[in-house]
Amino acid sequence: MPIFQLEDDNILFPPARLTDESGILAVGGDLSSERIIEAYASGVFPWFNPEDPLLWWSPDPRCVLFPENIKVSKSMRQLLRRETYTVTFDQDFAGVIDACQKIYRPDQGGTWITDEMKEAYINLHNIGFMHSVEVWDDGELVGGLYGGSMNKAFFGESMFSFKSNASKFGFIMLCKNLEEQNFEIIDCQMHTDHLESMGAEEIPRESFLMYIDRNQERKFEKQDWNKKFRTDFYTAKS
């Protein structure tokens, strides 16, 4: 399959089914809010190194997690019930994406979250598409993650931990909230052993696109997730 060159004046993407075997569908375009939202609605996401051109991906298979399938180990249940950390939603998006950009990842040579990417995703947060989960320890931001929300699909982007199990703590709370609100799927994009241990699985791209097709209505709104989402799933049972 060819890798498509995007036009500057056209935000539409070629069908994800035409993606190259490498997982790259297209190159070029920009990081405007309209184009990025169109990408997610088309089963596509941007991912590129600072020295690379802007690349758009739709891998096959696709790593996803169905919220009801989140795996919570016995040790994590104990951590949650002890209220080791405090979780909030959409209270410090800039802080979360900044930490995701700067944290050292031994399996990567650098970060794909460029300053341009960070600015684009902060803009998406400001219009209500991108959301963050913050994990706090005595007022200090020690973990978190961020991603997009469209109808009943959540598109995970990146997470970080400065303390043991902090991002996992926040991710479990996010999954329980998404399950409670009848979200169908979490897009994890690329497989990792860490995600698999928490219940993520790989499904054919065609199956993933069926979920996205059901959720591609560009339905999102600026809302207070901190009021909408619960934080007592485990502490209430202790």
Side-chain angles (χ1 to χ4, degrees):
M1 293 289 184
I3 295 177
F4 295 88
Q5 175 69 50
L6 298 183
E7 300 175 4
D8 292 340
D9 58 351
N10 185 355
I11 67 170
L12 298 180
F13 286 83
R17 296 170 179 85
L18 300 180
T19 299
D20 178 81
E21 289 183 2
S22 68
I24 301 174
L25 173 66
V27 61
D30 56 32
L31 291 175
S32 67
S33 295
E34 294 79 10
R35 191 185 296 272
I36 296 175
I37 292 169
E38 183 64 32
Y40 286 114
S42 303
V44 179
F45 60 89
W47 187 33
F48 58 100
N49 293 318
E51 66 275 11
D52 294 334
L54 210 170
L55 302 174
W56 302 87
W57 297 72
S58 184
D60 185 18
R62 188 79 161 225
C63 185
V64 304
L65 193 150
F66 301 101
E68 66 273 15
N69 291 343
I70 181 70
K71 292 180 180 178
V72 186
S73 66
K74 182 178 179 180
S75 60
M76 279 305 302
R77 288 181 184 274
Q78 293 173 346
L79 199 68
L80 288 155
R81 287 174 175 164
R82 289 200 303 268
E83 299 183 76
T84 304
Y85 302 122
T86 301
V87 174
T88 58
F89 301 91
D90 275 357
Q91 296 303 290
D92 190 4
F93 184 90
V96 168
I97 194 171
D98 187 63
C100 287
Q101 180 191 42
K102 293 178 179 178
I103 193 169
Y104 171 70
R105 304 180 194 273
D107 57 335
Q108 297 179 12
T111 180
W112 57 270
I113 306 175
T114 64
D115 289 341
E116 181 187 14
M117 178 77 80
K118 185 163 67 173
E119 180 181 359
Y121 277 66
I122 289 174
N123 290 338
L124 287 164
H125 170 69
N126 290 337
I127 64 174
F129 179 74
M130 280 284 156
H131 299 279
S132 60
V133 181
E134 302 88 20
V135 182
W136 308 89
D137 185 6
D138 195 25
E140 178 187 1
L141 184 65
V142 296
L145 62 125
Y146 70 95
S149 173
M150 185 183 298
N151 203 1
K152 295 299 181 182
F154 185 86
F155 303 90
E157 275 300 321
S158 187
M159 61 175 63
F160 78 97
S161 280
F162 292 144
K163 290 193 175 181
S164 178
N165 291 317
S167 63
K168 186 180 293 187
F169 196 102
F171 186 55
I172 290 170
M173 284 297 187
L174 173 67
C175 289
K176 298 303 290 185
N177 275 291
L178 295 179
E179 178 186 3
E180 186 173 71
Q181 297 182 56
N182 299 314
F183 272 65
E184 291 188 328
I185 195 168
I186 300 172
D187 176 22
C188 301
Q189 299 180 350
M190 300 289 196
H191 171 273
T192 67
D193 292 341
H194 173 68
L195 288 169
E196 183 179 349
S197 72
M198 299 191 71
E201 60 189 274
E202 290 185 310
I203 63 174
R205 181 171 56 221
E206 284 295 327
S207 299
F208 172 73
L209 292 175
M210 287 176 61
Y211 283 99
I212 299 307
D213 287 345
R214 290 207 297 269
N215 287 281
Q216 70 173 325
E217 179 185 0
R218 281 57 164 176
K219 183 180 180 182
F220 61 91
E221 59 185 16
K222 187 69 175 175
Q223 54 186 298
D224 189 346
W225 275 37
N226 204 49
K227 291 182 179 179
K228 186 176 182 180
F229 278 18
R230 293 172 54 191
T231 59
D232 64 346
F233 288 105
Y234 293 93
T235 56
K237 300 174 184 178
S238 58

